[in-house]
Amino acid sequence: MNLIVESLAGKEIRPCIAELARLRMEIFRDFPYLYDGDMAYEEQYLASYLRSEDTVIVLAKDGDDIVGVSSAMPLEHETAEVTQAFLEAGIPLSEVFYLGESLLMPAYRGRGLGHVFFEMREAYARKLERFRYCTFFAVQRPDDHPMRPAGYKPLDGFWRKRGYVPRPDLRTFYSWKDVGEAAETKKPMMFWLKELK
C-alpha cells in the first residue's frame, strides 16, 4: 500500500469530478445513505463545485488509484437546500465553509484518513481567512430502519472529537432514490457546526 493524500483547488478539481461521482455512487449505496444514484443526478449535484474558485477536493490515492475523496466549498456557492437553514438562523453565508462528502473505500478505513480529510479541508478554510465556521450535514435515519445493519455505529462520536456540534435547529431536506425504491423521496438532514479558532 502506497498511500498519498493531496488537495486540489479551483480549476484543478475538474478532472476529479468523475471520480468523485463514481465514489459517491459506490460508497453512498451503504447505510445510512442507501443512495441509488446515476451520473445524470451526479452531474447536476456536483455542478456547484465547479462554479466556485474556492472549492477544494482532497484525494487519497494508493499508487494511481483514487481510494478516497472529500470536498469542501464556501457555503454561499451551495444550493438553496443547503443555504436556507443558515439564512433563516441569521448566520451569514459568507462566514461558513461547507464540507461536502468524505468518502473512503472500506479497505482503507481505520488508518486515520478520515481525520486527514477534515484537517486538510479545515486548514484550507483557515488559509482563505474569511470563515468563522465549518459545517456539514448528515442524513437522519430512524434507529429501527429496516436496512440498518446489525452493529451499525454512527459517526457522531468521531465528529464530536473533531469539535463539531450537532445543530437540530439547522436542518434541510434532500431528495434521492434509495436502493430498492422506484422514485426519489425527501430525506431529513441535520447540520453539524464547528467554530474555527
Side-chain angles (χ1 to χ4, degrees):
M1 208 174 279
N2 180 26
L3 287 173
I4 297 168
V5 182
E6 62 183 6
S7 64
L8 304 171
K11 292 183 172 120
E12 294 175 326
I13 73 165
R14 186 170 291 279
C16 304
I17 292 295
E19 279 299 296
L20 177 56
R22 179 187 67 81
L23 284 172
R24 278 174 46 85
M25 289 188 293
E26 185 174 343
I27 293 171
F28 279 162
R29 283 187 72 82
D30 294 339
F31 189 86
Y33 283 88
L34 302 173
Y35 170 56
D36 186 11
D38 58 46
M39 198 52 85
Y41 181 99
E42 289 298 309
E43 286 175 3
Q44 178 185 351
Y45 177 80
L46 296 172
S48 61
Y49 287 48
L50 296 170
R51 288 193 291 269
S52 172
E53 291 182 7
D54 290 325
T55 296
V56 64
I57 289 183
V58 180
L59 300 174
K61 299 167 87 173
D62 185 354
D64 292 331
D65 297 327
I66 295 175
V67 298
V69 63
S70 64
S71 62
M73 65 187 292
L75 184 65
E76 60 197 339
H77 297 295
E78 258 295 353
T79 61
E81 291 95 341
V82 182
T83 60
Q84 190 61 37
F86 289 84
L87 292 171
E88 291 172 3
I91 300 173
L93 301 183
S94 60
E95 294 183 0
V96 185
F97 199 61
Y98 171 68
L99 308 182
E101 300 78 10
S102 198
L103 306 166
L104 197 56
M105 297 296 290
Y108 295 86
R109 295 173 190 166
R111 301 170 187 273
L113 290 169
H115 288 285
V116 173
F117 282 168
F118 272 90
E119 286 164 9
M120 290 181 74
R121 291 178 297 173
E122 290 168 11
Y124 184 78
R126 288 186 182 97
K127 186 177 83 170
L128 293 175
E129 297 184 337
R130 64 179 193 269
F131 297 105
R132 181 177 175 188
Y133 304 103
C134 279
T135 193
F136 64 88
F137 61 52
V139 67
Q140 305 294 289
R141 296 283 192 181
D143 290 342
D144 62 350
H145 192 283
M147 294 184 74
R148 181 185 177 109
Y152 171 75
K153 192 173 176 183
L155 292 171
D156 297 22
F158 170 76
W159 296 330
R160 286 180 196 277
K161 284 180 185 174
R162 291 223 44 92
Y164 288 85
V165 176
R167 291 289 300 264
D169 58 319
L170 297 174
R171 292 184 178 269
T172 190
F173 289 88
Y174 247 88
S175 294
W176 66 81
K177 187 162 72 83
D178 273 1
V179 171
E181 288 186 352
E184 291 184 4
T185 55
K186 283 188 173 182
K187 316 295 190 298
M189 314 290 283
M190 183 176 69
F191 287 90
W192 291 65
L193 199 67
K194 175 180 180 176
E195 188 161 2
L196 295 172
K197 303 296 182 191

